[in-house]
Amino acid sequence: MATVNLGAIKFNWKGAFNNSTAYAVDDVVSSGGSSYVCILASTGNAVSNGTYWNIMSSAGTNGTDVGTTLTTQGDILYRDGSGLQRLAKGTANQELRINSGATAPEWHTPAVASSDFVKIASTDISGTPTTVSFTSAFSSTYRQYEIYISEFFCSSNDELAFQIIIGSNSPISNSFYHSIGNEHRYNWSANNSVETGIIKSHLDNKIRVMPGHGTEDINTHLNAKITMYNPATTTSNNTFLIVAGSRSASNTAVNHNRTGWFYNPNDANLTVTGIKFYTTGGNTMASGKISIYGLK
């Protein structure tokens, strides 16, 4: 039976091209990162000679070793106009953004919100206190302070009031307080307004956050915001604004607004450093939260 020579039925890998090696059809060699297949048997013909060789695969562009580009934990890889680049990790609280030329990422230190609006102090009422004081809470660093009172109520019927504290850290109980405001009380069960009127206080020894009325426990679930304007200044009267609301156990809702100021009868302006909250009847506070924020 005659023998039929089919030649190579698969490519024959011959490794790197050698000028002295005899190559047959379908032999495959490598040269310069590319691979070539022999199309005509020969010896000593370079792979660039298209009579004997066809390119099989071309070498690509050498890639960047990411492991040598990114050297530190937190580094970021990005591409610029010439290739892969490393953006070193930023510092704490920085933000990633695109630069002004919109060509590459960069780290940015944002304006620190806490420098303009910051929590000065906060307390969750626990136990059975009758007073809560914040000494050294106010300074000239901030022109305005916001005091938030949330879900406050007493163990029994009482009024929540405050007095200011000056440099000696002693509450001022003299008659230095002036205020005027209005109040609207509405009973949901009776479906009518219980009382609406103007509240005035001249040369008082305290400021009531929410005045009491008779035997009604109106300080149950009291929520209020007190704004202090320039409490540490000595060049003008120290003014404040109260916005408060509460609901009593007898379903009486109360809306209370008041504005006022502190100064002594001799017109000597006070440098306020803190504030003391207390119950006027001496009853204990049951729960709630009081927080103070400074605002430039």
Side-chain angles (χ1 to χ4, degrees):
M1 183 176 180
T3 300
V4 179
N5 185 3
L6 298 179
I9 61 175
K10 65 178 182 178
F11 293 120
N12 301 310
W13 177 248
K14 296 296 184 177
F17 174 78
N18 188 319
N19 194 57
S20 62
T21 300
Y23 292 105
V25 174
D26 292 332
D27 285 347
V28 178
V29 297
S30 64
S31 178
S34 297
S35 59
Y36 299 84
V37 60
C38 180
I39 60 175
L40 181 62
S42 70
T43 302
N45 290 299
V47 293
S48 59
N49 191 327
T51 300
Y52 302 96
W53 299 94
N54 278 350
I55 190 165
M56 194 173 200
S57 63
S58 298
T61 302
N62 288 337
T64 300
D65 186 346
V66 174
T68 59
T69 302
L70 302 182
T71 60
T72 306
Q73 180 180 356
D75 287 351
I76 293 178
L77 186 69
Y78 74 97
R79 180 181 176 84
D80 66 3
S82 59
L84 298 180
Q85 302 295 336
R86 165 184 176 257
L87 176 63
K89 70 174 183 178
T91 58
N93 300 318
Q94 283 191 309
E95 298 175 349
L96 188 65
R97 70 176 185 182
I98 297 299
N99 62 19
S100 58
T103 57
E106 66 179 6
W107 292 110
H108 167 65
T109 302
V112 182
S114 61
S115 66
D116 296 324
F117 188 76
V118 63
K119 179 187 284 188
I120 304 297
S122 182
T123 184
D124 289 295
I125 297 170
S126 61
T128 56
T130 57
T131 65
V132 173
S133 295
F134 297 92
T135 59
S136 303
F138 306 134
S139 70
S140 58
T141 302
Y142 298 93
R143 294 177 56 84
Q144 180 176 321
Y145 289 84
E146 303 287 352
I147 305 171
Y148 296 94
I149 303 169
S150 58
E151 289 300 308
F152 172 89
F153 64 94
C154 296
S155 57
S156 31
N157 180 40
D158 210 337
E159 300 174 352
L160 178 66
F162 70 84
Q163 294 174 334
I164 59 171
I165 297 173
I166 60 173
S168 64
N169 286 335
S170 298
I172 300 299
S173 58
N174 305 69
S175 297
F176 288 175
Y177 304 89
H178 305 248
S179 66
I180 186 170
N182 61 75
E183 184 172 295
H184 180 207
R185 300 168 62 233
Y186 188 91
N187 187 282
W188 294 104
S189 300
N191 197 29
N192 70 323
S193 294
V194 179
E195 181 179 339
T196 299
I198 296 176
I199 301 170
K200 293 184 289 186
S201 174
H202 179 64
L203 295 180
D204 202 347
N205 63 358
K206 61 183 173 296
I207 294 295
R208 293 172 174 84
V209 180
M210 177 68 76
H213 291 268
T215 60
E216 292 185 3
D217 184 14
I218 69 164
N219 275 350
T220 301
H221 303 295
L222 168 66
N223 294 285
K225 182 180 79 168
I226 303 172
T227 301
M228 294 281 187
Y229 300 96
N230 279 335
T233 186
T234 58
T235 59
S236 62
N237 290 330
N238 317 88
T239 57
F240 65 88
L241 175 67
I242 299 174
V243 179
S246 70
R247 178 184 62 82
S248 75
S250 60
N251 289 320
T252 297
V254 183
N255 176 28
H256 175 72
N257 298 276
R258 178 179 291 204
T259 186
W261 63 97
F262 324 117
Y263 83 113
N264 67 31
N266 297 320
D267 284 336
N269 295 310
L270 304 174
T271 300
V272 182
T273 58
I275 188 169
K276 170 191 173 182
F277 292 92
Y278 67 102
T279 57
T280 59
N283 291 295
T284 58
M285 302 177 184
S287 65
K289 184 172 185 176
I290 304 177
S291 301
I292 301 179
Y293 290 82
L295 179 64
K296 285 186 177 178

